Amino acid sequence: MNETHNYQSETVNHHRGLRDLVREILDELKDFANTRFQVMKSELQETLSSVKVAVPLIAVALVLMFIALLLVSAAAVTLVARAFAGSSWAWFLALVIVAVIWMAFSAIAGFFAYNEFRSKGRFPKRTVEVLKADRDWLQSEASNVQGVRP
């Protein structure tokens, strides 16, 4: 009976140690996740602070560029209409020709913008690099633990 009592107390101690180990692992995982979240949060805050300054400037630049585009378009339509001076369709043809030219420029710019977005990742790079390094570290630790076990 004494042997059964010792076995039960060892089992209780073993479970208590296992609970503590599991709690410690969970605490480490929480700290790990919290650290990674803080890195990503700080990186996004840096990005947002630069965006807050850039957005109004971009808005002003876009409005001025739109006005310039309207004036250049009007000048181009006038020049093309002069080429068709004798025709009653001169202004219509001039508008269509200039519109097609602007559509072609727009398609080319859109193509380059699409390729730029596709070539660059949308997720913060430093965070992804840290997470990849963490993954590699965890894999090496797991292989070390597996190598230690019989």
Side-chain angles (χ1 to χ4, degrees):
M1 178 141 178
N2 192 15
E3 290 178 24
T4 306
H5 179 66
N6 285 339
Y7 175 73
Q8 288 175 345
S9 66
E10 287 177 19
T11 304
V12 170
N13 287 337
H14 178 67
H15 285 294
R16 182 176 297 251
L18 185 59
R19 278 191 212 127
D20 290 340
L21 180 63
V22 169
R23 187 176 300 123
E24 185 180 330
I25 290 172
L26 288 175
D27 288 342
E28 290 291 328
L29 286 173
K30 286 178 188 175
D31 289 343
F32 175 80
N34 188 33
T35 301
R36 298 308 170 243
F37 177 74
Q38 293 300 325
V39 168
M40 185 177 69
K41 183 179 171 183
S42 68
E43 191 171 346
L44 289 174
Q45 284 176 344
E46 288 175 15
T47 302
L48 286 177
S49 66
S50 64
V51 167
K52 287 179 184 177
V53 172
V55 167
L57 294 174
I58 290 172
V60 169
L62 288 174
V63 167
L64 294 175
M65 186 57 71
F66 181 71
I67 292 169
L69 181 65
L70 289 177
L71 292 173
V72 167
S73 295
V77 167
T78 303
L79 284 175
V80 174
R82 288 287 281 168
F84 297 106
S87 172
S88 59
W89 293 87
W91 288 99
F92 173 76
L93 291 174
L95 287 169
V96 169
I97 290 170
V98 171
V100 168
I101 290 170
W102 285 129
M103 282 190 288
F105 287 148
S106 173
I108 292 168
F111 173 76
F112 285 123
Y114 173 75
N115 283 339
E116 186 66 24
F117 277 122
R118 211 176 74 198
S119 70
K120 303 246 190 291
R122 286 174 270 197
F123 203 72
K125 288 182 181 182
R126 285 184 295 181
T127 302
V128 171
E129 290 171 5
V130 168
L131 290 174
K132 284 180 182 178
D134 291 340
R135 181 198 62 202
D136 294 341
W137 176 79
L138 285 172
Q139 287 175 344
S140 69
E141 288 297 314
S143 66
N144 287 342
V145 169
Q146 288 175 355
V148 170
R149 290 187 178 169

